[in-house]
Amino acid sequence: MSLGPIPSGKSVTTSAAELRPVTALKGVGDALATKLAKLGVETVQDLLFLLPLRYEDRTQIIPIGALRSGDRAVVEGEVQLAELVFRRRRQLLVRITDGSGFLTLRFFYFTAQQQAQLTRGVRLRCYGEARRGSLGLEIVHPEYRRADGPDAQRTEDSLTPVYPTTEGVQQGRLRILTALALDDAEQQRVRDWLPSDLLRDLGLPSLAEALTYVHRPPPGADLMPLAMGTHPAQRRLAFEELLAHQISLRLLRQQIRTEPAWPLVSAGQLVMQFRQALPFSLTQAQERTLSEAIKDIGTTSPMLRLVQGDVGSGKTVVAALTALVAIEAGYQVAMMAPTELLAEQHWQNFESWFKPLRLPVALLSGKLTGTARQKTLNAIASGVDVPLVIGTHALFQEGVRFNRLALVIIDEQHRFGVQQRMALREKGMKEGRVPHQLIMTATPIPRTLAMTAYADLDVSVIDELPPGRTPVSTVVLPETRRDTVVARIAAACREGRQAYWVCPLIEESDELDYQAAEATHAALVSALPSLQVGLVHGRLTSKKKEAMMASFKRGELNLLVATTVIEVGVDVPNASLMVIENAERMGLAQLHQLRGRVGRGAAESTCVLLYRAPLSRLAQERLDVMRSTTDGFKVSERDLELRGPGELLGTRQTGLVQMKVAELIRDADLLPRVQKAAEQLISHHPESIRPLLRRWIGNGEQYGQV
Ligand code: ADP
Ligand code: MG
């Protein structure tokens, strides 16, 4: 796929100047150009956006006596002694002094010419990182030159940028090349695509000013904001970069939406029957989300809607109602879950919901094989018999053909990549129509971030829990208090309550994972002889897992020991106590998901987080967050602060992680303005779009090919 709807750049002259090949610069031939290409540098403009990784201060000469281990600095001194020694390796040791102290320069590689030059009495200016060595402070392989030559007095007049390099392209060369490119920028040959009124509003510098500053910060520039990326010059560039990403996601969305979908409209018979049979009425947030989805699927433009709702907020019912509209309109619906366990649970739910409506529901799981599988596949392909198919990623394997697939529901989206969503979409591409997509996630993310990361989706938020739920109270205890916890479980179960005991995933190893769960199970069985204690873990066949879960759900088991397989979606309203072992090892999102398994019924629920001391500062903070709130949005906001967005969203969903200057968290305050600016540019300055994408994202392939 290419980025179809990008308006073509009109201002050919400026674009042409921006796209001058690096070979247009003095001293750059084909050989160097090939090497630069490895750094992603093909044009003069690319050189400008090859930004320094860090800066060195070579504007001042530091007295040797003031030098500390770990300092990178320029020093100047006279050679006192130079000797060739053989200590494991042949090396040249040169001792210099400036009267305030001594410093050893250590060379393992040197030419005969260098050796001849470095003799007593010669003045040197050196740059490098000082470290404590066997002879006191030393610099290994410093950059150096003679300081008694003609330009001896000169020091650098700006901070020295350090660029990412590649083989055969040295720092010195990059500094020369970027200086040449900066001349271009200063002569306005690189165009500032941000409207000047926008820059004025933002109080940010022009492109040329910003580039000059980041490539050549003046002496005395404060290195702190520069290192943190918060200098206005950097913010100006970050803004532009975020803007380019925002625009590209919007274009992707536009493009998807220009492909036609079946408009799904029904008289609402099935919806009405289903609602009447429900033992509860929908919350306002559910109603709002439902009507947004129904409105979306009624048009020929494919729905791409993300439903964010905390665990237990009731996303499944909304999905079911949306599905009924599509089914009544005469089409097929596919629902995809991240695990077999969840697919089966959904299937059970939907079966019991849809049975009174006489709508068969098919389950296509990995364990379905042979003729049974073929039969199901045939039914799906024929369409009429199977209005709803539930499954895992098995749904989009080869060999699965739908008849009239018009709506795809994806549960727990964070486990699916964009690619997988797109693959499923292709499945419905019959007669050139793409299915509508409803994506449900229990990983709530802060709004500004959602708008940035999911700019290709519309977002509905179910920000309200069904009534009658009492928030889960969370207790954090050291594992030395385990006995107290066990006693508490015994008491709760005597009152007819049920409990989960969650064992952690151990170093991603299935085997250890399962052993730990087995051991815990055995210990609890002997500590609680009067209780029925079950065990589920990833090693069980899905049949056994299912049987165990079902028996827990029926109340035949008091306590269920489980690995984190129960993390997502499992629904047993009578379970009101959860113990999570080694909670300090788990991430916030995971803890929140796990905790969401309790607090689903009317009884007051408790979650006990057991930890092993000592706690790291980060672990301590995570546990504090869990103790202080049950609001998924607050949890995820803190998670974001503690971890950063890449991990939270998964790199595949964001497409935002490889940014050059911007960082979502640090620059989050810019995001609302970025949104507005994206709209402004798309509608009023379409000519700026292609050059901006070219500048920041390359040819847009990354987005065009999801
Ligand atoms: P999640 O958003 O985590 O997927 P579910 O859809 O599994 O949540 O719903 C959690 C539980 O709440 C289920 O038992 C469901 O039947 C119930 N539920 C959903 N909506 C409501 C409502 N409006 N009132 C009462 N209970 C509800
Ligand atoms: Mg769910």
Side-chain angles (χ1 to χ4, degrees), residues 328-393:
E328 190 173 323
Y331 292 88
Q332 268 181 318
V333 179
M335 176 161 185
M336 192 158 63
T339 64
E340 297 265 324
L341 192 71
L342 269 180
E344 281 159 26
Q345 185 177 288
H346 277 314
W347 177 67
Q348 280 165 8
N349 263 338
F350 278 83
E351 266 239 314
S352 69
W353 281 342
F354 284 10
K355 196 163 252 161
L357 307 174
R358 287 184 231 290
L359 297 173
V361 182
L363 174 67
L364 190 72
S365 82
K367 68 179 181 184
L368 193 66
T369 53
T371 46
R373 182 180 183 81
Q374 199 49 53
K375 232 177 107 191
T376 305
L377 288 177
N378 290 344
I380 295 171
S382 82
V384 275
D385 296 338
V386 187
L388 174 62
V389 187
I390 297 179
T392 60
H393 47 275

